[in-house]
């Protein structure tokens, strides 16, 4: 995509229950590395081309998935392509970051405090409290509720 060649994609298939898709339906999420500057500049300079590139990307990904899941293309009811520019627009995260703090060898297992000294009944949750993307962010919300319940009792 753009100047970056994408060799690997992550594909999540979610069809266990109706939490993310209606009964009998499946949500397929495809994720891969991409460059902020490319998407940001394209959206800023040429919104029509930005949309066209997103649509082409969606079709290219469906074509790749078709090799593993024959017939998938004809079953798609809705497509949505989110770019780093999309993430930045909705979250205000710097350069469209999706995962909070950059994980490095030195901070990978470091715990981030989810309360603040002197501020009673305050609990932090989200990607800045537990880095790593959507799943850890969701877990941090559950953890915040667990802390509230523990401190309330």
């Amino acid at each position: 995509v753009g100047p970056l060649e994408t060799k690997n994609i992550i594909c999540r298939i979610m069809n266990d229950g109706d939490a993310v898709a209606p009964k009998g339906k499946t949500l397929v999420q495809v994720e891969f590395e991409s460059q902020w500057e490319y998407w940001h500049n394209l959206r800023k300079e040429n919104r029509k081309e930005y949309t066209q590139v997103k649509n082409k990307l969606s079709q290219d990904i469906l074509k790749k998935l078709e090799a593993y899941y024959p017939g998938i293309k004809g079953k798609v009811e809705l497509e949505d392509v989110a770019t780093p520019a999309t993430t930045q627009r909705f979250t205000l995260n710097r350069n469209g970051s999706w995962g909070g703090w950059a994980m490095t060898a030195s901070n990978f297992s470091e715990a981030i405090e989810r309360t603040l000294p002197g501020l009673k009944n305050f609990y932090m949750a989200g990607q800045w409290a537990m880095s790593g993307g959507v799943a850890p962010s969701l877990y941090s919300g559950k953890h915040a509720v667990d802390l509230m319940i523990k401190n309330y009792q």
Side-chain angles (χ1 to χ4, degrees), residues 27 36 73 83:
L27 172 71
W36 156 255
K73 191 172 183 175
T83 70

Side-chain angles (χ1 to χ4, degrees), residues 10 43 54 72 78 99 108 114 135 144:
I10 297 169
R43 184 175 189 278
K54 286 178 32 168
I72 191 172
L78 176 68
F108 181 72
R114 293 187 187 89

Side-chain angles (χ1 to χ4, degrees), residues 78-116:
L78 176 68
E79 301 167 49
D80 187 24
V81 176
T83 70
T86 310
T87 303
Q88 192 277 335
R89 196 169 84 248
F90 283 99
T91 67
L92 300 179
N93 290 351
R94 184 173 184 269
N95 294 349
S97 167
W98 59 268
W101 308 109
M103 290 194 280
T104 65
S106 63
N107 71 8
F108 181 72
S109 61
E110 186 177 314
I112 298 171
E113 289 296 323
R114 293 187 187 89
T115 60
L116 293 176

Side-chain angles (χ1 to χ4, degrees), residues 8 22 25-26 33 40 52 60 68 82 89 103 114 124:
N8 300 304
K25 305 289 182 178
T26 298
E33 291 294 320
H40 171 73
Q52 290 171 342
D60 290 348
Y68 298 94
R89 196 169 84 248
M103 290 194 280
R114 293 187 187 89
M124 290 189 289

Side-chain angles (χ1 to χ4, degrees), residues 16-90:
D16 186 25
D18 59 1
V20 297
K23 188 175 176 87
K25 305 289 182 178
T26 298
L27 172 71
V28 178
Q29 178 186 13
V30 177
E31 186 177 305
F32 55 88
E33 291 294 320
S34 191
Q35 291 183 332
W36 156 255
E37 293 83 8
Y38 171 76
W39 290 108
H40 171 73
N41 293 337
L42 185 60
R43 184 175 189 278
K44 185 177 171 183
E45 295 165 8
N46 190 333
R47 187 73 62 90
K48 183 178 179 181
E49 184 180 353
Y50 172 79
T51 301
Q52 290 171 342
V53 171
K54 286 178 32 168
N55 290 338
K56 182 179 181 326
L57 177 61
S58 180
Q59 293 308 306
D60 290 348
I61 288 174
L62 276 171
K63 192 183 298 182
K64 290 196 182 299
L65 290 176
E66 190 74 32
Y68 298 94
Y69 306 102
I72 191 172
K73 191 172 183 175
K75 296 178 181 179
V76 172
E77 295 180 15
L78 176 68
E79 301 167 49
D80 187 24
V81 176
T83 70
T86 310
T87 303
Q88 192 277 335
R89 196 169 84 248
F90 283 99

